[in-house]
Amino acid sequence: RKVVSDPRVLLLGLIQSLFEGAMYTFVIVWVPTLATMVPGGKAGEMDFAAFAPGQGWIFTAMMVCISIGAELFAGMLKVTEVEKGSVLI
């Protein structure tokens, strides 16, 4: 009942669903997309064998960036409020 009666809750749920949908789409699509663009691979085909060595490095770099972002955000919260810090981002 609260979801239907309070539009803020409905909006929050919609925004969260759209964000998660975008994230899952990226997670599912990034490997096949990059596998078609591997230098030295077969043009226009997914060459997973040529892409395999770099795949681990790319994923590791993404995870490191997420960790750095989380640490920076935690540090930002020590000196300012979420509302003010979010405007800076």
Side-chain angles (χ1 to χ4, degrees):
R1 292 185 176 199
K2 186 70 173 170
V3 173
V4 177
S5 64
D6 190 352
R8 295 177 301 166
V9 175
L10 184 62
L11 182 61
L12 178 64
L14 178 65
I15 291 169
Q16 183 67 31
S17 298
L18 292 172
F19 175 79
E20 291 295 330
M23 290 302 296
Y24 282 119
T25 300
F26 173 77
V27 166
I28 291 169
V29 172
W30 79 274
V31 172
T33 301
L34 291 179
T36 61
M37 299 185 292
V38 175
K42 299 172 187 167
E45 295 182 19
M46 292 185 197
D47 193 356
F48 290 106
F51 178 58
Q55 183 178 351
W57 287 105
I58 294 169
F59 185 75
T60 301
M62 285 192 267
M63 293 298 105
V64 167
C65 289
I66 289 172
S67 298
I68 291 171
E71 289 300 317
L72 290 174
F73 189 77
M76 180 195 72
L77 290 179
K78 292 179 182 177
V79 296
T80 188
E81 298 171 356
V82 172
E83 293 82 7
K84 292 179 182 176
S86 297
V87 173
L88 297 173
I89 297 173

